[in-house]
Amino acid sequence: MASLPLLTLPLGLFSILLGTGEPKLLEPSGLNPTALQIEWQSPWIAELARDPVVEAIVADYVAGLQRQGWSVPDQGVWIQVGQSVVAEHRGSVPMPAASLTKLATTLAALQTWPLDHHFDTLVGLHGTLQSDGVLDGDLVIQSSGDPLFVWEEGIALANRLQELGIQRVTGEILVTGPFTMNFEEEQADSLADLKQAMSVATWTGEARQAYGNLAPGTSQPNLQIDGDARWIPATDLENVPIEWVVRHQSLPLVAILKAMNIYSNNAMAEMMAELVGGPRQVMAKATAAAELPAGEISLVNGSGLGVDNQMSARVVVALALALERELLAQGFSVADVLPVSGEDVGTLIDRHIPPTAAVKTGSLAEVSALAGMMPTAEKGPVWFAIINKGWDIPDLRVQQDQLLQAIQAHWGAAEAPAEMRTKVRMQTGPFRYGDPSRNQVAQEVASE
């Protein structure tokens, strides 16, 4: 995806780049080195390195928002190169961050599990399996909270059960643990989807479409379940004899996080936050990992829904940098957990963000936000956060893209360095939905 030509930029930004215009600075919004160092002695802010052109670009950007009637104090910008802050506007002021909150949830997940962690779903038999393939009893599902259990996973699991000789279940599907399927908000809908996935005769249009994502030649299961799917507490199974037959593994954590952020999936983010320990634990783990300043982050959930999730622009950049450090230590980068411009669609559809930039979007009814890493020729990776409050979300997005284009035009276009290029490509290799190899059979299931 090529960047838009400079002529598409607002006149103010265009004139700054050519040196033909003097920006009209608004209220003083530059950095005060003394105040900043006293306020926050974080090691990732080691120095200040103003760039007058970038400062002018940012000031003109904010002036443009003011001309449109948006409140200047409600706009946050932070531009950073390495350990140097280059330009900012109200960068230390907490603002509604929308789905930039998912950066904190992602970082908290990395503090909780390794990137190759799998969430297990155990499948067992309660009853007697007859020689004709009829289970005279119930199918038991014990979930550990796979946030990406979708149609493809259910279909592949049903196929494995039929390969083990199970053709009919006379009882119910008894589900325990934090189970959700297809990002359903209601538990009853997840349970209904699980039963439907077991037999092609009950598939919905969405299930048939998902089947098309599976490898050619994949069987269509026809496992008959006589009863319903029902959730029960784990205590109900404490003294129940169960023969565990399959351990279904989720996609690895790195792919789950990538999918969550590509589509800014709120249901996945909420489940991930709960698995971490809840919003307070998300905030605590993210704060410790990124060494965040006090008072500039407040979270009430893991998704960013609602204006009560607030972060300053510099906190958002600190989270992105902490993510990069954690991922680099495991051979990955932010491009492996965030959508990449020109490669991933999802929330980046119709955006004109410089190619190979790894970014996270955020949107509420009156909030539009964008943050991440943008490559440049002169400065390498540039880290940024933009938080806007205003009602015209499509126009705010256009202006965010143009701000990044202007900064990249100043420092030169480039692709992300090799170590920051995407390694996790969904629906390829080990990151395919419904991979049958992630359904381990009985002898591979450790005793629980």
Side-chain angles (χ1 to χ4, degrees):
M1 180 186 300
S3 299
L4 291 181
L6 282 179
L7 290 176
T8 64
L9 299 177
L11 181 58
L13 297 184
F14 184 64
S15 63
I16 289 170
L17 291 174
L18 295 182
T20 60
E22 291 295 331
K24 294 182 180 180
L25 299 180
L26 302 176
E27 61 190 37
S29 61
L31 296 170
N32 181 325
T34 303
L36 192 145
Q37 290 174 5
I38 292 174
E39 179 185 1
W40 186 13
Q41 291 289 350
S42 176
W44 68 269
I45 300 295
E47 59 187 38
L48 304 175
R50 290 175 178 271
D51 184 308
V53 173
V54 175
E55 285 191 315
I57 290 172
V58 170
D60 190 73
Y61 167 74
V62 176
L65 295 174
Q66 185 185 42
R67 287 192 296 270
Q68 292 178 280
W70 305 127
S71 169
V72 169
D74 289 331
Q75 318 304 323
V77 180
W78 188 270
I79 310 295
Q80 180 169 331
V81 176
Q83 294 182 316
S84 301
V85 184
V86 176
E88 64 99 26
H89 172 80
R90 294 182 65 79
S92 61
V93 179
M95 300 180 182
S99 283
L100 298 189
T101 299
K102 293 182 177 70
L103 294 174
T105 303
T106 301
L107 182 57
L110 295 185
Q111 298 300 301
T112 307
W113 306 283
L115 286 174
D116 61 356
H117 176 77
H118 297 269
F119 296 94
D120 289 342
T121 301
L122 293 178
V123 184
L125 312 181
H126 170 229
T128 303
L129 181 60
Q130 308 293 341
S131 59
D132 59 358
V134 175
L135 172 62
D136 187 13
D138 303 312
L139 199 63
V140 179
I141 308 288
Q142 180 177 298
S143 173
S144 65
D146 180 357
L148 195 52
F149 194 95
V150 290
W151 286 116
E152 293 92 330
E153 304 297 309
I155 292 169
L157 177 59
N159 279 333
R160 176 51 59 94
L161 291 173
Q162 289 204 272
E163 289 170 4
L164 295 177
I166 304 168
Q167 305 302 325
R168 177 188 169 196
V169 176
T170 63
E172 299 176 295
I173 302 178
L174 302 178
V175 180
T176 188
F179 176 78
T180 188
M181 184 170 176
N182 296 328
F183 325 118
E184 299 283 7
E185 294 183 3
E186 299 295 331
Q187 185 182 76
D189 294 332
S190 290
L191 296 173
D193 288 354
L194 177 62
K195 181 180 176 180
Q196 287 180 331
M198 296 291 169
S199 175
V200 63
T202 60
W203 281 1
T204 63
E206 287 184 352
R208 294 182 182 278
Q209 183 178 0
Y211 173 78
N213 295 327
L214 298 173
T218 297
S219 299
Q220 296 182 342
N222 57 357
L223 178 56
Q224 179 181 336
I225 310 293
D226 291 356
D228 294 325
R230 179 167 58 94
W231 187 89
I232 60 173
T235 53
D236 286 6
L237 297 174
E238 286 181 353
N239 298 313
V240 175
I242 300 171
E243 179 188 358
W244 298 109
V245 293
V246 174
R247 181 196 297 273
H248 169 81
Q249 290 188 322
S250 72
L251 283 160
L253 177 65
V254 66
I256 291 174
L257 295 174
K258 179 80 169 182
M260 178 184 81
N261 288 318
I262 285 177
Y263 299 102
S264 203
N265 189 297
N266 293 325
M268 291 181 68
E270 294 291 0
M271 185 165 221
M272 187 64 70
E274 289 305 314
L275 293 170
V276 165
R280 287 187 178 181
Q281 276 299 305
V282 168
M283 189 165 69
K285 290 188 176 189
T287 296
E291 302 183 43
L292 301 180
E296 292 186 31
I297 179 172
S298 177
L299 304 181
V300 298
N301 57 47
S303 65
L305 285 172
V307 296
D308 291 333
N309 293 283
Q310 300 209 348
M311 296 189 287
S312 67
R314 69 172 177 176
V315 154
V316 174
V317 170
L319 290 171
L321 282 164
L323 276 173
E324 177 64 12
R325 289 194 300 270
E326 294 288 338
L327 290 159
L328 187 62
Q330 299 185 58
F332 292 90
S333 76
V334 289
D336 295 308
V337 296
L338 300 181
V340 174
S341 179
E343 298 177 8
D344 300 310
V345 184
T347 59
L348 299 189
I349 190 169
D350 296 329
R351 299 297 296 255
H352 297 284
I353 298 166
T356 71
V359 302
K360 182 71 195 77
T361 62
S363 299
L364 293 172
E366 57 178 320
V367 176
S368 180
L370 183 68
M373 179 282 299
M374 172 182 67
T376 66
E378 181 180 335
K379 298 295 185 180
V382 174
W383 301 87
F384 68 91
I386 309 165
I387 303 175
N388 298 134
K389 186 174 182 181
W391 292 101
D392 192 344
I393 302 302
D395 186 61
L396 290 172
R397 290 172 178 168
V398 168
Q399 293 180 77
Q400 291 165 2
D401 296 353
Q402 290 174 339
L403 173 59
L404 296 184
Q405 293 165 27
I407 294 173
Q408 192 186 61
H410 168 55
W411 281 329
E415 290 191 345
E419 66 272 16
M420 299 182 75
R421 297 304 304 269
T422 308
K423 302 176 185 65
V424 177
R425 299 185 184 278
M426 301 304 295
Q427 294 292 55
T428 65
F431 310 119
R432 291 192 66 87
Y433 298 163
D435 183 347
S437 69
R438 288 189 280 105
N439 289 298
Q440 302 173 342
V441 295
Q443 58 267 32
E444 297 168 338
V445 177
S447 59
E448 296 297 318

